[in-house]
Amino acid sequence: MSTAAYFENALAQTWSPEAWSEVTVLVAVSGGADSVALLRGLAALKTGGRGRLVVAHFNHHLRGRAAEEDARFVEQLCVRLGLPYEIGHASTDLDETHPGEGLEAAARRARYAFLEKTAERFGARYLVTAHTADDQVETILHRILRGTGIRGLAGIARTRPLNRATTLLRPLLEFPRRTLLAYLEEIDQPFRTDLSNGDCRFTRNRIRHELLPYLKENYGHAVPEALLRLGRLADEVETVVDHLVDRLWEEAVLSTSEKEVRIAIGPLISEPVYLIRALILQAWKTQGWPLRAMGFEQWDQLAQMVLNHEPTKVIFPGAVSANRQEGRLVLYRELQN
């Protein structure tokens, strides 16, 4: 079997065309090898159905002429494949959009805002991105270095809701990058190379170009496989935890509103502190409150407020107040303009 046939068959087994051929699929394409391979693979599998593939490319305007050439490359590829496309542009200086957030995080936020808006405009049932097994390894290792819980060890999720109408899907998470490069070589498909991926001022790039090669050379070439296995095990654990949290939510959450969550203390007193932290995290996510500045110390402080019998009130990052009253914990945040 040729490399091209192998990749396309494997992609079809990972995400059967029967699951998406009748709906609109928005494909995020940077012009790099991973996303171009994803687009070519999906285009090869799209042989019928009323659905369509639509391409979205976002120009962050961070690399000058090279970024413009990336956009032009994607546009020309879409024309050649006969696919509709949307080119987005960063409208403001990303460094100024969310001060203190960091350029990488600001760029990601702007990109996903564009992708979500484009998915809504085209009525896309799925948004697909080209994250690979290599990206998964780097993400898990990055989170270990930064400090993470079990959920963080699970790495990049294969799917998650983007909004009520669209699901974000990553069909290449089990494919190593070398497979994609071999596929592109065999079908004679060029791609763009982002030179900033070699800039070791960025943590992700240092992990890719310095730390992972060092670990493989000094601790064995199976390090990436070990990290992927750790991620799969962590994901299995979190699936169990999610079911337990859902049960606790039904038992302990008294009420929710746009501004507030009220949690009964009684059902939580005999529960493991890990589940109490997970329940409060779920409340944060349900309300859409800021998560970035919240770490283990903050989640544990909230859990200890539940277990402590003394009335307490604490203000947490994002201006969320937690008030430990008689028999309940009240989480409150004034609506933001």
Side-chain angles (χ1 to χ4, degrees):
M1 181 183 294
S2 69
T3 300
Y6 166 79
F7 171 72
E8 291 167 8
N9 286 340
L11 180 58
Q13 291 177 19
T14 299
W15 193 36
S16 171
E18 294 179 359
W20 53 269
S21 61
E22 300 292 338
V23 297
T24 297
V25 176
L26 184 67
V27 188
V29 180
S30 67
D34 300 347
S35 61
V36 170
L38 174 62
L39 178 61
R40 288 299 308 267
L42 293 177
L45 295 175
K46 183 70 173 72
T47 57
R50 295 171 297 174
R52 59 178 177 164
L53 295 175
V54 180
V55 174
H57 172 86
F58 189 68
N59 185 345
H60 299 90
H61 293 287
L62 294 175
R63 297 183 296 111
R65 183 176 177 181
E68 299 297 331
E69 292 174 351
D70 289 348
R72 188 157 47 249
F73 170 84
V74 172
E75 181 178 356
Q76 291 171 350
L77 177 59
C78 292
V79 170
R80 181 160 65 86
L81 296 175
L83 299 175
Y85 60 90
E86 183 83 6
I87 307 293
H89 299 268
S91 58
T92 58
D93 188 330
L94 291 175
D95 282 322
E96 298 175 0
T97 305
H98 296 276
E101 183 177 46
L103 185 58
E104 288 178 284
R108 183 183 184 279
R109 181 190 292 271
R111 181 170 64 255
Y112 274 95
F114 158 71
L115 291 172
E116 185 167 359
K117 184 181 297 184
T118 305
E120 182 178 358
R121 191 165 77 80
F122 282 96
R125 177 65 185 84
Y126 296 102
L127 164 66
V128 294
T129 64
H131 293 86
T132 67
D134 297 68
D135 294 313
Q136 185 73 294
V137 168
E138 293 163 10
T139 296
I140 293 170
L141 187 51
H142 190 190
R143 291 179 180 178
I144 290 172
L145 296 173
R146 198 171 54 189
T148 188
I150 300 298
R151 188 175 299 276
L153 288 178
I156 306 168
R158 175 178 164 79
T159 65
R160 70 171 175 84
L162 188 67
N163 52 44
R164 291 183 179 180
T166 307
T167 296
L168 173 61
L169 179 71
R170 300 175 173 106
L172 298 185
L173 265 184
E174 295 185 3
F175 290 81
R177 188 166 290 124
R178 63 179 181 273
T179 298
L180 308 184
L181 292 171
Y183 173 65
L184 294 175
E185 182 178 8
E186 183 165 302
I187 65 173
D188 197 27
Q189 171 62 59
F191 55 87
R192 297 284 298 169
T193 299
D194 183 352
L195 296 180
S196 69
N197 287 335
D199 187 346
C200 286
R201 289 177 298 175
F202 297 107
T203 303
R204 171 77 69 160
N205 291 342
R206 290 200 301 276
I207 290 172
R208 178 180 301 173
H209 299 296
E210 297 176 356
L211 182 55
L212 269 172
Y214 176 84
L215 290 175
K216 287 192 285 188
E217 180 180 350
N218 292 278
Y219 295 93
H221 285 272
V223 166
E225 288 72 20
L227 289 167
L228 289 173
R229 185 166 57 251
L230 176 65
R232 287 192 293 270
L233 292 171
D235 187 55
E236 292 173 5
V237 169
E238 281 305 306
T239 298
V240 175
V241 170
D242 287 343
H243 287 306
L244 295 174
V245 169
D246 288 343
R247 174 182 60 79
L248 270 185
W249 185 276
E250 294 296 323
E251 295 176 0
V253 175
L254 300 171
S255 64
T256 62
S257 67
E258 287 187 294
K259 296 181 179 182
E260 185 181 80
V261 178
R262 290 176 172 260
I263 302 172
I265 298 295
L268 303 181
I269 290 298
S270 61
E271 296 292 343
V273 67
Y274 184 89
L275 286 183
I276 300 174
R277 288 196 297 263
L279 177 72
I280 296 171
L281 171 60
Q282 184 60 43
W284 234 261
K285 290 181 176 179
T286 300
Q287 296 298 110
W289 291 338
L291 286 166
R292 185 173 179 80
M294 296 289 291
F296 175 81
E297 290 183 3
Q298 286 75 30
W299 300 123
D300 195 56
Q301 184 178 4
L302 282 158
Q304 295 306 322
M305 288 177 69
V306 169
L307 299 173
N308 187 344
H309 295 287
E310 298 297 324
T312 312
K313 184 174 182 179
V314 180
I315 306 297
F316 288 89
V320 179
S321 69
N323 190 359
R324 209 287 193 188
Q325 303 172 354
E326 186 66 33
R328 62 183 179 268
L329 178 70
V330 179
L331 305 174
Y332 178 87
R333 187 184 191 225
E334 191 65 47
L335 293 178
Q336 306 297 300
N337 295 326

